[in-house]
Amino acid sequence: MAFQFFDTGLRESVLGLLLPEVQLPGQYIGGEFGQTVKAAESVEGRFCLAFPDTYSIGMSNYGLGLLYAIMNRKANWSCERVFCPWPDFARQLESAQLPLYSLETFTPLYVFDLLGFTLQYELSYTNVLTMLDAGGIPLHREMRAPGDPLVIAGGPAVFNPEPMSDFIDVFVVGDGEEAIGEISAFWLDIKKRMNVPRLSQTSGGTPVVSDRDRGMFSVCGPASAEAVALRREMLLEVARKFPWAYVPEFYDVSYDEQGRARRPRPRVDGVPETISPAIIRDLDLWPPSTTPIIPLVESVQDRISVEVMRGCPQKCRFCQSSPIKRPLRFRSVEQITQLARDAAVNTGVSDITLLSLSTSEYPWFDELMKSLSDAVCPLGVSLAVPSLRVNHQLSDVVTKLSTQRSSSLTMAPEAARDGMRKRLAKRVTNDDLMNGCRGAFENGFARIKMYFMCGLPGETEDDLDGIIELSEQIARLGKEVRGRWPVVVANVSNFVPKPHTPLQWEGMALPEYLRGAHTRLKRSRRPAAVDVKYHELATSLLEGLLARGDRRVGRIIESAWRKGAKLDAWSDHHRNELWQEAIQESGLDTDLIVHGHYSTSDELPWDHIQIWAGREKLLREYERSQTANESGGC
């Protein structure tokens, strides 16, 4: 079989010159079990999934694997992968003047018809710029030519797309399974109708293109005014075609008297005022592959993942995932069991994780656990349910998870006092938590990990003290049940009011308050009882800026990146001083963006992006949070 678009010259350069100089070279060479490579003559369109973090993180992402399988099921499309390189490899590529490429065929990114980024976390934004630049694609959307890839982005972070709107052509809002195929086919059709040539082959990373076609590709030089106008015409067709596609090129932003951005509004006819999320109704129609790609190097989650439901039955007011993933949908017990068994048999992987926001609330959980146990446990496979609801059922649930490898239980009470949980609509009590932990200790669990937040609206010193007190109570319970001390870890994050949550009108707590909260927790902790871990304050404040920012924040992102900001989600690479320099030079009042409180009558920078339940539902929940207390309801 001849793979005509396999760039052998680039591959030889990478293998012969670069890999001896970098760590973990296996993450840059492709060829994994389960990858898909198609012959050039068999496809019409080429799509590259771009994950803006390292290989070990990206290969653990369920959504990436799902979309990869869906696109490659299309006979006339090939789908490949690319991840953000570590700095050592990025420097080698730049020094050798070689482009960033796909793992499957060593094709430079600028050759693809579409490049699709998964935006899971705001601190990955600078990695997007790294990958665009290294892949030979102009950073700014208005500088791209008609033959350049259509740069799209999806994922939870696109529910506030404005900070990245200078760099992304189209944001795909909502579920990607069906939308990704529709936009790909439509873009390819536009290119054909407008006679836009394609780069079908390269030589050692150098584009092969005729003199007549050079103006159609920015990799061959700056795009002409005519080329930019043609691409704009192409993008306008996309903006008018799909209600879930946000094309920032055709929206303007104004500002209120305080200097805060209002919601973007259309500046051309025919594009939607608001963007509605794409929603797939039946998860069973979009199964993942049962022969997933097996990473060549260790990944963060080295296991098979099966999504059991999408959305969450609970409506916690701090949580962004629940409102943006609604409505609630379930995969059938039969399909989950078949997917898990087939994947275990096909890959030999011995751990399976059931994915959802609250897996123990899957309606047929007991039936599912029995079905899975019968199907995969005889194969020596261990089952993990990482998203357990802390409620009266928890002690019963942990008995179903007891296997020879089960030793750790992870829960997210979020707050330590029942009164604060009522404000958050977190339907958990300390009695539920203690009963669940007792059941865990009785069934052989030796480690309890809990997630809390500080800086919550209305938080008191008593709420902070409760984190340590509750953790110590659980530790003492473990000692009582097990006869020896368990490991109890309290992870405390700094609350960021995310867009499209009932608490989106609140501002983030001030740095002085959060530092004081950390100090109080440290002083009250008893070292022998529990381990308390804190999220780095600087990265939390940056997350607040990027999550709540408007279009102007894009200038800060680019400036920080040009100064050297890379891999900001990694503590050993994050350089806060570069971001502070970029913020100072921008002249933007970022404190107002991060810590400012909005009136419920104010427009928000992300109000043009809709969610399934609608803004009014969020507003009602916010108003309820103001009156919830220990004697009242949620």
Side-chain angles (χ1 to χ4, degrees):
M1 184 179 294
F3 301 118
Q4 294 180 0
F5 50 49
F6 200 108
D7 193 335
T8 56
L10 178 57
R11 182 178 185 274
E12 290 173 359
S13 296
V14 169
L15 296 181
L17 299 177
L18 304 185
L19 296 187
E21 305 297 329
V22 301
Q23 295 182 335
L24 292 177
Q27 63 189 313
Y28 303 118
I29 62 176
E32 307 102 321
F33 172 82
Q35 76 165 20
T36 300
V37 182
K38 296 183 178 181
E41 63 271 13
S42 71
V43 301
E44 297 179 27
R46 304 186 65 191
F47 192 106
C48 189
L49 284 167
F51 195 89
D53 210 316
T54 63
Y55 180 92
S56 65
I57 300 294
M59 286 301 295
S60 302
N61 182 262
Y62 173 81
L64 182 88
L66 178 62
L67 296 180
Y68 182 86
I70 288 171
M71 285 301 294
N72 275 317
R73 286 181 191 136
K74 301 178 184 298
N76 63 334
W77 278 87
S78 68
C79 184
E80 306 185 27
R81 299 161 296 141
V82 65
F83 303 94
C84 187
W86 286 99
D88 59 350
F89 187 54
R91 287 191 295 269
Q92 293 293 330
L93 284 176
E94 183 178 14
S95 176
Q97 297 184 322
L98 295 175
L100 187 61
Y101 54 87
S102 67
L103 292 182
E104 279 73 7
T105 63
F106 284 76
T107 299
L109 299 191
Y110 60 75
V111 173
F112 287 90
D113 295 296
L114 293 94
L115 182 67
F117 284 96
T118 299
L119 299 183
Q120 293 287 328
Y121 183 38
E122 292 85 359
L123 265 64
S124 69
Y125 286 170
T126 52
N127 300 341
V128 173
L129 305 194
T130 294
M131 296 171 74
L132 288 173
D133 184 59
I137 301 170
L139 292 186
H140 297 99
R141 51 178 168 74
E142 69 269 15
M143 301 302 292
R144 295 171 193 149
D148 291 333
L150 180 70
V151 180
I152 67 175
V158 306
F159 280 82
N160 178 17
E162 291 307 293
M164 289 297 286
S165 62
D166 287 344
F167 317 110
I168 303 297
D169 293 318
V170 183
F171 293 91
V172 176
V173 179
D175 297 330
E177 288 93 332
E178 189 169 22
I180 192 174
E182 291 181 351
I183 195 172
S184 297
F186 190 65
W187 184 252
L188 193 61
D189 178 65
I190 294 173
K191 291 178 70 173
K192 291 177 180 177
R193 285 190 281 109
M194 296 191 175
N195 295 315
V196 176
R198 299 174 63 204
L199 285 172
S200 59
Q201 189 173 354
T202 65
S203 177
T206 301
V208 177
V209 61
S210 68
D211 290 339
R212 178 180 59 85
D213 294 333
R214 294 185 70 83
M216 287 291 184
F217 304 97
S218 59
V219 72
C220 301
S224 66
E226 294 79 7
V228 170
L230 178 58
R231 186 175 176 94
R232 185 177 184 277
E233 184 180 342
M234 296 163 69
L235 288 171
L236 184 57
E237 287 200 39
V238 174
R240 288 171 170 166
K241 173 71 173 179
F242 301 112
W244 38 257
Y246 174 54
V247 186
E249 169 73 20
F250 306 111
Y251 293 78
D252 285 332
V253 181
S254 61
Y255 302 89
D256 64 19
E257 60 277 2
Q258 295 185 58
R260 298 185 301 193
R262 297 188 174 97
R263 72 172 177 87
R265 285 177 164 78
R267 59 185 178 89
V268 298
D269 294 334
V271 301
E273 283 276 345
T274 56
I275 309 301
S276 302
I279 295 174
I280 60 168
R281 298 291 176 176
D282 189 346
L283 295 183
D284 280 357
L285 297 178
W286 305 94
S289 172
T290 55
T291 54
I293 300 172
I294 305 300
L296 291 180
V297 301
E298 184 178 5
S299 59
V300 173
Q301 297 291 337
D302 189 14
R303 58 188 60 183
I304 296 166
S305 297
V306 181
E307 182 185 31
V308 301
M309 69 179 181
R310 192 168 299 178
C312 182
Q314 302 298 319
K315 300 175 183 178
C316 302
R317 295 179 179 126
F318 60 85
C319 178
Q320 186 187 54
S321 293
S322 179
I324 69 175
K325 291 183 181 296
R326 286 187 173 269
L328 194 60
R329 291 146 290 169
F330 310 99
R331 199 178 295 280
S332 67
V333 170
E334 294 76 16
Q335 188 181 81
I336 295 168
T337 303
Q338 191 66 48
L339 288 170
R341 187 186 186 284
D342 289 350
V345 170
N346 292 339
T347 64
V349 175
S350 60
D351 295 283
I352 293 177
T353 296
L354 303 182
L355 291 182
S356 83
L357 294 175
S358 182
T359 303
S360 57
E361 291 186 288
Y362 177 74
W364 309 283
F365 182 77
D366 290 347
E367 179 186 349
L368 175 62
M369 293 304 293
K370 183 180 186 308
S371 178
L372 283 170
S373 296
D374 292 344
V376 304
C377 287
L379 303 175
V381 173
S382 175
L383 298 174
V385 183
S387 301
L388 291 178
R389 176 64 56 187
V390 182
N391 59 20
H392 64 281
Q393 297 176 317
L394 180 60
S395 58
D396 180 57
V397 168
V398 295
T399 65
K400 299 179 173 65
L401 301 179
S402 182
T403 71
Q404 64 273 23
R405 286 194 290 273
S406 293
S407 62
S408 179
L409 183 66
T410 299
M411 299 174 292
E414 310 297 354
R417 302 296 192 201
D418 290 344
M420 175 57 77
R421 294 199 198 106
K422 286 184 178 181
R423 293 198 65 178
L424 300 176
K426 183 79 176 181
R427 290 169 173 82
V428 174
T429 68
N430 282 349
D431 286 343
D432 294 334
L433 187 65
M434 297 301 291
N435 289 335
C437 289
R438 177 179 291 276
F441 292 134
E442 291 173 345
N443 283 276
F445 288 78
R447 178 184 174 90
I448 303 291
K449 181 188 293 186
M450 294 182 292
Y451 287 93
F452 297 95
M453 292 183 288
C454 69
L456 291 162
E459 183 175 84
T460 66
E461 291 181 348
D462 188 53
D463 291 308
L464 294 172
D465 294 341
I467 294 174
I468 302 300
E469 292 171 9
L470 179 60
S471 301
E472 291 179 346
Q473 288 175 18
I474 292 172
R476 288 194 293 269
L477 175 64
K479 178 69 161 57
E480 172 190 325
V481 173
R482 302 177 66 249
R484 57 186 182 276
W485 290 104
V487 176
V488 178
V489 181
N491 287 279
V492 183
S493 63
N494 306 298
F495 173 63
V496 177
K498 289 292 184 82
H500 303 291
T501 67
L503 299 181
Q504 64 180 347
W505 289 277
E506 297 280 356
M508 189 174 176
L510 293 171
E512 309 86 73
Y513 174 85
L514 293 171
R515 291 191 192 96
H518 292 181
T519 299
R520 187 177 185 88
L521 289 169
K522 290 175 184 177
R523 287 176 177 172
S524 59
R525 180 178 73 88
R526 299 172 187 172
V530 298
D531 183 16
V532 183
K533 298 182 178 180
Y534 312 89
H535 282 211
E536 180 63 38
L537 180 55
T539 55
S540 294
L541 293 170
L542 178 57
E543 180 184 346
L545 174 63
L546 300 179
R548 299 175 58 80
D550 56 59
R551 192 169 293 194
R552 297 169 296 182
V553 172
R555 302 198 305 267
I556 296 175
I557 296 171
E558 182 177 352
S559 176
W561 174 77
R562 292 191 182 281
K563 292 176 183 294
K566 307 284 192 302
L567 295 172
D568 290 290
W570 295 78
S571 59
D572 51 343
H573 288 274
H574 178 73
R575 297 177 60 189
N576 188 56
E577 71 276 8
L578 302 181
W579 285 95
Q580 293 307 312
E581 290 175 13
I583 289 170
Q584 290 295 323
E585 292 171 4
S586 74
L588 189 61
D589 185 355
T590 55
D591 285 345
L592 183 62
I593 292 173
V594 177
H595 307 293
H597 179 97
Y598 283 100
S599 165
T600 55
S601 61
D602 290 334
E603 288 188 359
L604 305 176
W606 49 84
D607 272 347
H608 57 308
I609 306 296
Q610 293 185 330
I611 59 171
W612 183 76
R615 187 180 192 270
E616 291 305 312
K617 173 66 173 176
L618 299 178
L619 180 57
R620 289 195 298 271
E621 286 296 311
Y622 178 57
E623 291 170 345
R624 289 171 183 159
S625 76
Q626 306 301 296
T627 57
N629 54 50
E630 293 190 28
S631 61
C634 291

